[in-house]
Amino acid sequence: MGKSWVDAGASGCGEGSWWAGKRWTVLACGVAAAACVVAAAVVVPVILSGAEGGGGFASDTRVEAGCNASYYSGVGATLRDRELILSLHDTLSSSARKPLSYRETWAALEVLDSGQGGCGPQKVSDIYSKACWLASHDRCGKSVSKAGQCYNREHSWPKSWWGGFDQGQGATTDLVGLFLVDGKLNSKRRNNPFGEVGKVLEEWPSKARIGYCRDWQGKCFEPPDEFKGDLARAHFYLSVRYAGVWECCETKVTNRTAVSTLAESTLRRWHRQDPVSERERRRNDLIHSRFQGTRNPFVDCPTFEARIQDF
């Protein structure tokens, strides 16, 4: 079974380079042997019959052992690669509730991180400095002058990578990709990608650091070891949840929801070296039950990662 992506705005037929190592095909309506699916301003999949068998998804809808069987009941145990991405995308999209407002994400994140990381029940912990903060009271205001002053909200996949605050189609307030962090470290990271630092420019007691990347040219931000897997799985989720939705942007490590080969290799390594923790499972359950209805498939079922060759 083969699959192509049809761009509703495309008027021609041909093959082009979506990005380094990421191939796609643009088909015009009326191309022989292809069903043309059109939806304004979105990219939609077309499944074609091929040498591997008949068209359509695999009929096996049994979710593999260890996953949340009821939530992923429509995700076949034999699906792989783009077919698995599409099936997970459909599951996440269909279960999503009305997005929170950006103001509402403060209180939601404080619920998610309350009493974690060795902090007391009235405190929240952040993933960059690993400090304990007094919930609500220690939120950052307009000015942050030093580390240890306040905590802020961090978009793990920077907003600029999908075009800005109003262009995320729900990603701006998607709690799976939002984390509480030290306000100063938040501003230090800016929109630099996550990666492993070769030449350190600045490092903090938590072992978070910023500097020049080991694996590609330019700067990157390296979080503490115990949160590398969390952030990798958040990236996998966002890549799947907003596949075919974001219309922007190309960066050093992403193009829309596609992740570059080198960055993807780093994230996969972090996913395997830092397995899912109880804190991460608790967070995932609360996001699903109390706030937005979605779950992170790569927390529930870490082996989904190995079944996707290319995010």
Side-chain angles (χ1 to χ4, degrees):
M1 178 173 63
K3 181 185 60 61
S4 298
W5 290 91
V6 176
D7 189 334
S11 58
C13 178
E15 192 173 297
S17 175
W18 185 13
W19 197 46
K22 314 282 183 178
R23 304 295 297 177
W24 70 319
T25 302
V26 178
L27 300 175
C29 294
V31 174
C36 184
V37 180
V38 180
V42 299
V43 178
V44 293
V46 174
I47 306 300
L48 308 177
S49 297
E52 298 174 31
F57 292 125
S59 59
D60 183 0
T61 58
R62 296 169 299 164
V63 68
E64 62 189 81
C67 299
N68 186 313
S70 60
Y71 187 81
Y72 302 105
S73 60
V75 179
T78 59
L79 293 182
R80 302 185 66 85
D81 302 323
R82 190 56 61 178
E83 285 73 32
L84 178 56
I85 288 175
L86 291 170
S87 185
L88 290 173
H89 171 83
D90 288 346
T91 296
L92 294 169
S93 299
S94 63
S95 66
R97 302 174 191 162
K98 180 181 178 181
L100 299 175
S101 70
Y102 197 51
R103 179 185 295 273
E104 289 172 330
T105 63
W106 272 122
L109 289 168
E110 287 159 356
V111 169
L112 298 181
D113 289 320
S114 174
Q116 302 301 297
C119 300
Q122 304 301 316
K123 293 189 175 184
V124 295
S125 63
D126 82 79
I127 66 168
Y128 286 176
S129 74
K130 300 191 289 185
C132 294
W133 306 91
L134 186 60
S136 183
H137 179 273
D138 290 338
R139 294 176 185 174
C140 289
K142 294 182 179 179
S143 177
V144 182
S145 60
K146 60 182 179 180
Q149 177 181 339
C150 59
Y151 65 88
N152 211 336
R153 295 164 292 184
E154 168 77 308
H155 288 91
S156 56
W157 189 300
K159 298 186 296 295
S160 61
W161 291 7
W162 63 64
F165 188 90
D166 295 323
Q167 305 302 316
Q169 303 297 317
T172 301
T173 59
D174 192 324
L175 296 173
V176 178
L178 274 171
F179 295 87
L180 296 180
V181 301
D182 183 290
K184 189 62 176 180
L185 275 66
N186 173 252
S187 63
K188 288 285 186 177
R189 188 223 168 178
R190 299 173 64 89
N191 65 350
N192 287 300
F194 293 125
E196 295 182 356
V197 173
K199 182 180 178 181
V200 177
L201 296 177
E202 193 167 0
E203 184 171 343
W204 294 272
S206 64
K207 301 302 180 183
R209 56 180 70 96
I210 192 166
Y212 292 102
C213 296
R214 180 180 303 156
D215 298 323
W216 61 83
Q217 290 187 338
K219 291 182 180 179
C220 60
F221 183 91
E222 185 172 350
D225 288 345
E226 57 263 53
F227 296 110
K228 287 178 176 176
D230 306 51
L231 292 165
R233 287 179 282 275
H235 269 44
F236 297 155
Y237 164 90
L238 291 165
S239 181
V240 168
R241 172 68 179 87
Y242 298 98
V245 176
W246 290 342
E247 298 179 358
C248 187
C249 299
E250 183 173 349
T251 73
K252 289 183 179 180
V253 295
T254 60
N255 189 341
R256 300 187 184 185
T257 57
V259 182
S260 76
T261 301
L262 288 174
E264 186 174 312
S265 177
T266 297
L267 294 173
R268 288 184 188 274
R269 184 166 61 252
W270 289 1
H271 170 64
R272 293 166 186 176
Q273 291 176 346
D274 175 31
V276 178
S277 65
E278 186 55 41
R279 172 175 176 169
E280 202 174 353
R281 292 188 187 94
R282 174 186 178 274
R283 190 177 201 271
N284 194 37
D285 289 341
L286 286 171
I287 289 173
H288 172 241
S289 63
R290 290 191 57 174
F291 298 110
Q292 63 186 48
T294 58
R295 304 186 64 84
N296 187 338
F298 305 96
V299 172
D300 287 326
C301 193
T303 55
F304 278 150
E305 171 267 335
R307 289 165 54 189
I308 297 174
Q309 185 177 13
D310 196 8
F311 282 96

